[in-house]
Amino acid sequence: MKAYVMTFIVGGIFCAIAQILLNKTQMKTAHILVTYVVGGVVLSVLGIYEKIIDIGYAGATTPIIGWGHALMQGTIAQIEAEGLIGVFTGGLTAAGGGVAAVLLFGFIMALLFNPKTKK
Amino acid sequence: MKDISNKEYKELYEQKRPKAKLSTNCLKAFCVGGLICMIAQAFNDIYTKVLGIGAVNAASFTSITMIFLGALLTGLGIYDDIGRFAGGGSLVPITGFANSVVSPALEFKKEGLIFGVAAKMFVIAGPVIVYGLSSSMIVGFIYYIVRMILL
Amino acid sequence: MIKRGMQTYAMEKTIYIADTYAIAGPKEGEGPLGKDFHKICVDDTCGCGSYEMAERQLCFDAVQAVIQSSQVRPELYCGGDLLNQIISTSFTARQIGLPYWGVYSACASFGQAVQTVATAIESGGIQSGIVSAVSHFSSAERQYRMPLEYGGQRPDWAQWTVTGAGAARISTEDSNQNGVIIKDFTIGKVMDLEVSDVDNMGAAMAPAAVDTVLQHLSDTGRELRYYDMVVTGDLAVYGSELFVELLKRAGIEAQAVHRDCGAMIYDTQNQNVYSGGSGAGCFPSVFCSTLYDKLVDGKVERMLCLPTGALLSTTSSQQGESIPCIAHAFSLEREKK
């Protein structure tokens, strides 16, 4: 149960920070997402993001910042195992599943549905 | 209309502009975002505890499940309403990433499957992948050099 | 045509707005002006395969209606819209087969079209012409903003593109005895007070409207209270406040006579449209129904119309440029019997 409470809180905090950036700065959504991903990469290599996941469970892995962390951890693992080539192959080894899935699902949804006007 | 400078006008319209309801918006974002993460946690628990999948693969399966849900809700025309309500709350979770890929894929269907769906799919989410992968490679290279020197 | 002052031209002939036709989408139909439109689409795709084709259909239906109500065939068609290379209007022209001038002043296109046709009639070249302008929420959204299904938030001062079209027949003959005359018009100047937020169109366009009003008054020697109603195109609620405030600073009290089509067309409290309506179809759909009816019924004797337009493109705004804006004015009066 504690895991779910912490997931809610940590996930909520990442989203609330994004909301503050949206309302209080000139940043558009793309700026925020890019900042989060790059931030995830940097926090990950410094070993900080691992600790955030220990606290926040899926609240830390589900936001896009967790995708940056997954990229970085994959890169590190491949460097450890394969050397220099791991710099290039590591990211997508670990985090490629999401990209591949979104490609396929996006294509399928486009075949099935049409955009509807906003109410 | 020469009697007001650009700077004076900026002050005027910023003062007249309706104020963004920051606290309400943040609360909405917090709750919806937290809820989406809890759903992800539930899937993760099902994959690891019920189906007995290893932690690393279960995490990937969880991401893929959430991406599927985001994609489906986008296709059904629900995710844009969630987004208008929750703002950052539905933007930051991986479901929002799925929304940003699937929504242009739907929108540009009329231009065909090649030039529309496929070519426009990453107009919004492209930067996230470009900067995510590039930064992980650059940081990874630095990590590789530092590791060589230290060992 | 007689030039008055710097930018205003007074008509020498008696030129009537002889007939109008307005079509609106379902959301506009549910708004406070719903009963005034000649036609409301049940479905905003208008039975077409794409929103671009739906927009074209709105335009065609409105134009076709004012052509059919005329005993003589109009000699010129002039109009504009927001889609790239004004395809909605040009493709309508392809269908109706009249001599055609496409014009573009963004959401002020209707104003420019009225001025163009009035000039053509004054020159003695033609006796009657058709003007139109159209916009569609869903086609504008994809061209200027985000895909429809994208889950983003827009600020409270953003505006909602009107799905609607208006067309009018301008003629030397007043076939329906409506008695609405174009008195004079003022060609606007481009104003840019360096507003660069594309969600802040009301603030960007208000100075252009104010500039044109002040020029019109100084050119004609009139005071604002000469008019029973001063109508701006699509400043919406928040832009209207700025319009009134800027005029107040110039020593003119406009609150009582000012109306804005973007604020009129929706119930801005309950229809989820942020600050109000915008778009090339906003002014014409309100003008060709509600406002024209007021003139015909004699509820308004003199009206100053100020369609406002933001002359940006997605390219210019992505390259960080501010938003140049324009307002073209034309004044209408009831014919004295």
Side-chain angles (χ1 to χ4, degrees), chain B residues 31-130:
Chain B
C31 292
V32 174
L35 212 61
I36 293 173
C37 294
M38 275 167 78
I39 295 169
Q41 180 65 31
F43 277 112
N44 197 54
D45 282 349
I46 294 170
Y47 293 144
T48 49
K49 289 168 188 161
V50 181
L51 300 177
I53 301 169
V56 176
N57 282 350
S60 281
F61 273 122
T62 305
S63 290
I64 292 168
T65 312
M66 295 308 287
I67 284 171
F68 177 77
L69 289 178
L72 184 66
L73 290 175
T74 304
L76 293 172
I78 299 169
Y79 208 85
D80 59 321
D81 296 328
I82 302 176
R84 187 166 176 180
F85 175 80
S90 55
L91 171 75
V92 170
I94 195 111
T95 47
F97 177 70
N99 173 249
S100 69
V101 174
V102 179
S103 59
L106 286 178
E107 184 73 42
F108 292 95
K109 193 178 168 180
K110 286 285 178 295
E111 276 82 346
L113 293 180
I114 306 283
F115 289 112
V117 174
K120 300 279 190 183
M121 200 178 253
F122 287 98
V123 283
I124 305 170
V128 178
I129 297 172
V130 170

Side-chain angles (χ1 to χ4, degrees), chain C residues 247-287:
Chain C
L247 277 179
K248 193 180 274 172
R249 292 188 180 201
I252 295 170
E253 191 52 59
Q255 185 78 52
V257 290
H258 174 246
R259 294 286 180 281
D260 181 80
C261 298
M264 289 164 78
I265 194 165
Y266 297 117
D267 177 354
T268 51
Q269 299 295 318
N270 302 315
Q271 277 193 302
N272 247 338
V273 292
Y274 312 97
S275 179
S278 68
C282 181
F283 176 81
S285 58
V286 176
F287 172 76

Side-chain angles (χ1 to χ4, degrees), chain C residues 34 59 61 89 92 96-97 105 108 124 126 187 221 241 244 252 265 273 293 296 300 309 322 332 336:
Chain C
C59 187
D61 286 351
T89 312
T92 299
I96 60 170
S105 294
I126 63 169
I187 303 173
E241 282 178 31
V244 171
I252 295 170
I265 194 165
V273 292
D293 291 348
V296 173
V300 173
S322 57
L332 303 173
K336 291 189 180 59

